[in-house]
Amino acid sequence: MKKLFLLFLITSFSVVSSQNINLTATEINSFKFEGDEFLGYDAFGFYYSITNNVFSKVGMNTNLEYKNVSLGKITKVDLQNPLKIILFYSDFNTIIVLDNQLNEIQKINFSDFTLPIVVSAIGLSSQNNLWLYNSMNQQLGLYDYLKNESKTISVPFSETIKQYTSDFNFFSWIDSKNNWYTSDIFGAVNFRVNVTEFDQIQIISKSQFIYSESGILILKDLEKNKSYEIKFSQKSFEKFYYKDQILSIFTSEGITNYKIIIP
């Protein structure tokens, strides 16, 4: 009888702990936004967007633009360093490096290399390096843009990349089977978790991600093994973006920013 009672307690605890905990976001401000894609903020309060394939930087008294129609559509933007912004144009296998005034300071066409690299994922890494995923050999590598040298750091990926993000020290990706992996700059790959189906997802750390499904926003914490349902005033939304405890919610009317404390 005691064993049955203990089993009941353990089962009850497991059910409760698996349920979503509410996490309330507090509204800060909102504004109209008519661009095609909102990319995020930097530490200086500027926000970045793309409208009609024109990259923009907007502040209180600043409105800067960069466009390069010869390279096709902007595929990816890396804003980690606002003094060295990376624009990736996958159609032409090329990246453009911009300074904080959106002046072009470097152009790299990976098709011009002696051993060409076909890039399908890119991001700013540490020590003058860029993360590169080469779809020709399906391997992750690093490219030193000052020395013009590249090296492969991983074994071939078994599945294609569905979504990815990176910081100076880690490259994270979700593959076509919803498996989440991370790699450090030495090529040590770690499996994190098989992610549930999602409409949108943003990896925010090595152990946390935010995803939306059927109009609900969820924060998942792997280390704590907890899920949090994020509550905010909008009843529906199109996209979301999180950075530095600010959650931006996009609707047809504009952008609303919320303060949120991640547990």
Side-chain angles (χ1 to χ4, degrees), residues 89-101:
Y89 296 83
S90 62
D91 290 344
F92 286 81
N93 205 27
T94 297
I95 68 163
I96 299 292
V97 184
L98 305 176
D99 65 14
N100 64 334
Q101 297 299 306

Side-chain angles (χ1 to χ4, degrees), residues 171-190:
F171 183 89
S172 300
W173 72 98
I174 296 170
D175 68 17
S176 57
K177 293 184 176 179
N178 278 9
N179 293 314
W180 173 19
Y181 297 91
T182 62
S183 173
D184 63 18
I185 58 175
F186 303 106
V189 174
N190 288 300

Side-chain angles (χ1 to χ4, degrees), residues 14-69:
S14 299
V15 171
V16 172
S17 63
S18 66
Q19 293 174 344
N20 293 340
I21 305 168
N22 287 346
L23 187 62
T24 302
T26 304
E27 185 174 334
I28 301 172
N29 55 38
S30 61
F31 60 93
K32 294 286 185 182
F33 178 75
E34 298 179 350
D36 298 329
E37 184 177 1
F38 177 84
L39 300 170
Y41 300 95
D42 65 20
F44 304 103
F46 296 100
Y47 78 82
Y48 301 83
S49 64
I50 298 174
T51 304
N52 295 325
N53 208 37
V54 177
F55 176 68
S56 299
K57 175 181 180 179
V58 179
M60 187 172 294
N61 299 305
T62 303
N63 195 337
L64 303 174
E65 294 184 344
Y66 174 85
K67 61 180 178 180
N68 194 322
V69 295

Side-chain angles (χ1 to χ4, degrees), residues 111-129:
S111 299
D112 292 338
F113 287 16
T114 304
L115 294 175
I117 298 173
V118 177
V119 179
S120 56
I122 196 164
L124 193 61
S125 184
S126 59
Q127 300 177 346
N128 303 316
N129 284 313

Side-chain angles (χ1 to χ4, degrees), residues 68-170:
N68 194 322
V69 295
S70 65
L71 292 178
K73 185 178 180 180
I74 300 171
T75 308
K76 184 78 172 181
V77 179
D78 191 307
L79 298 171
Q80 288 186 84
N81 183 353
L83 304 179
K84 194 182 295 288
I85 299 168
I86 310 296
L87 303 187
F88 175 43
Y89 296 83
S90 62
D91 290 344
F92 286 81
N93 205 27
T94 297
I95 68 163
I96 299 292
V97 184
L98 305 176
D99 65 14
N100 64 334
Q101 297 299 306
L102 303 195
N103 297 309
E104 185 177 315
I105 56 177
Q106 192 172 6
K107 177 181 179 181
I108 304 169
N109 186 339
F110 297 100
S111 299
D112 292 338
F113 287 16
T114 304
L115 294 175
I117 298 173
V118 177
V119 179
S120 56
I122 196 164
L124 193 61
S125 184
S126 59
Q127 300 177 346
N128 303 316
N129 284 313
L130 296 172
W131 297 103
L132 296 180
Y133 177 71
N134 184 357
S135 59
M136 290 186 71
N137 58 18
Q138 298 180 309
Q139 290 174 288
L140 184 65
L142 291 171
Y143 170 70
D144 189 319
Y145 51 83
L146 294 184
K147 296 180 181 179
N148 192 29
E149 296 176 350
S150 62
K151 62 179 179 180
T152 298
I153 63 170
S154 78
V155 298
F157 290 8
S158 58
E159 303 291 335
T160 57
I161 294 177
K162 184 175 180 179
Q163 187 155 336
Y164 71 94
T165 187
S166 62
D167 58 26
F168 295 122
N169 299 309
F170 291 94

